[in-house]
Amino acid sequence: MELPGALQLGELAAAFASVPVFPLFDAAYFIVSVLYLKYEPGAVEMSRKSPFASWLCAMLHCFGSYILADLLLGESPIHYFSNNSSVILATAVWYLIFFCPMNLFYKCVSFLPVKLIFVAMKEVVRVRKIAAGVHHAHHQYHHGWFIMMATGWVKGSGVALMSNFEQLLRGVWRPETNEILHMSFPTKASLYGTVLFTLQQTHWLPVSEANLIFFFTMFMIVCKVFMTATHSHASPFAPVEGFICPVFFGSVSSGHTSHHNQHGHSHEASYQPPPPVKSKEELNEGTRKRKAKKAE
């Protein structure tokens, strides 16, 4: 690449990284987050029966990543709620999505072309949060790579990681939906992204933070918009993971089959077939014999 082109790209990345996220990008982040809350089963009924519980769930969807990151770094989990402007904006979004007359606001923001714009804007905020989480942890733990990665990860996907707790507020308990057991694309992407930002922060990745924010944000926007537009849940990491994971961690199917066979043999060794069930005629015959003995 020629030097002028590289300079223009660097200037573009620096200008993109300096764009403020409040209020427009934050509003888009809150809209998509509360939309996903409304999609949850029973969320609309809960908003009518217990508006306060619905509001708490919405705040977890909007600020769950900040709560988890503060807990990891030993800070107050309600520290971010001192930002009155963000809390008021998130509350206004929650009220309009759940209680707007004739459901007009919800119909507008859930219209697919409009929703795709908000989804793209949300990914801008997500990547900024990952970078900020790694940067914040680096100031407190200069050599704590795993602390940086953990903080950046929860900053990018804290809402999903708190999903089970949020379910309890809605009166639902589904441990099989644990996000760590079944990672969605945003959670995986946040994990991989926080590794990149940690390497960049510790000077092992020779790229500027602005360039990394720009390129990773473009990657997240393209993937998430495409998945939302096509209603796809397939992860773009699946082909790479399908090739690498069996090499380093073994095949899931073979291990599961051997485990199943071992249990199957043990069950067969201890299993004894139940006695044959008597037919209706045999039961009637036994009853007649007993009656004949009593008569005699």
Side-chain angles (χ1 to χ4, degrees), residues 5-256:
L7 292 176
Q8 291 178 2
L9 182 60
E11 292 175 357
L12 175 63
F16 178 78
S18 62
V19 172
V21 296
F22 185 87
L24 292 180
F25 289 92
D26 275 347
Y29 184 92
F30 298 153
I31 287 172
V32 177
S33 298
V34 180
L35 271 179
Y36 289 155
L37 171 62
K38 190 167 185 177
Y39 294 155
E40 292 292 334
V44 176
E45 292 78 4
M46 180 189 64
S47 66
R48 304 302 189 268
K49 296 178 181 178
S50 179
F52 181 68
S54 177
W55 178 81
L56 281 179
C57 292
M59 295 304 104
L60 284 181
H61 274 259
C62 295
F63 306 116
S65 55
Y66 297 101
I67 295 173
L68 273 183
D70 289 339
L71 287 174
L72 287 180
L73 297 177
E75 301 176 0
S76 172
I78 60 173
H79 170 72
Y80 193 80
F81 285 87
S82 62
N83 191 341
N84 296 327
S85 300
S86 295
V87 176
I88 292 174
L89 179 60
T91 302
V93 169
W94 162 76
Y95 185 85
L96 289 173
I97 288 180
F98 278 94
F99 302 104
C100 181
M102 300 176 63
N103 230 9
L104 289 178
F105 187 79
Y106 168 76
K107 292 177 181 178
C108 292
V109 297
S110 62
F111 181 55
L112 187 58
V114 178
K115 183 181 177 181
L116 293 179
I117 297 175
F118 290 143
V119 167
M121 296 173 70
K122 179 181 180 179
E123 297 310 310
V124 174
V125 179
R126 187 195 304 276
V127 178
R128 297 287 188 88
K129 288 163 67 176
I130 295 173
V134 173
H135 187 76
H136 188 188
H138 180 258
H139 275 282
Q140 297 190 24
Y141 304 93
H142 297 288
H143 303 288
W145 285 33
F146 291 100
I147 298 177
M148 296 181 210
M149 288 188 286
T151 306
W153 186 37
V154 300
K155 271 292 188 75
S157 57
V159 178
L161 296 174
M162 295 183 68
S163 59
N164 289 112
F165 180 71
E166 185 268 335
Q167 288 172 5
L168 288 178
L169 289 179
R170 292 189 284 112
V172 180
W173 175 241
R174 292 182 295 174
E176 70 278 2
T177 61
N178 192 325
E179 185 67 18
I180 297 179
L181 294 176
H182 308 283
M183 288 190 186
S184 60
F185 166 73
T187 303
K188 284 186 179 182
S190 298
L191 179 59
Y192 299 147
T194 193
V195 173
L196 294 177
F197 279 101
T198 300
L199 293 175
Q200 187 278 329
Q201 193 69 44
T202 53
H203 306 290
W204 282 84
L205 188 64
V207 63
S208 67
E209 184 179 25
N211 285 335
L212 185 56
I213 289 175
F214 177 77
F215 286 111
F216 194 70
T217 301
M218 294 300 106
F219 167 75
M220 291 294 295
I221 288 176
V222 171
C223 292
K224 200 69 175 75
V225 168
F226 176 78
M227 294 172 67
T228 304
T230 58
H231 303 285
S232 172
H233 298 284
S235 171
F237 303 121
V240 179
E241 292 173 350
F243 176 76
I244 294 177
C245 290
V247 176
F248 290 97
F249 305 110
S251 176
V252 177
S253 59
S254 61
H256 178 75

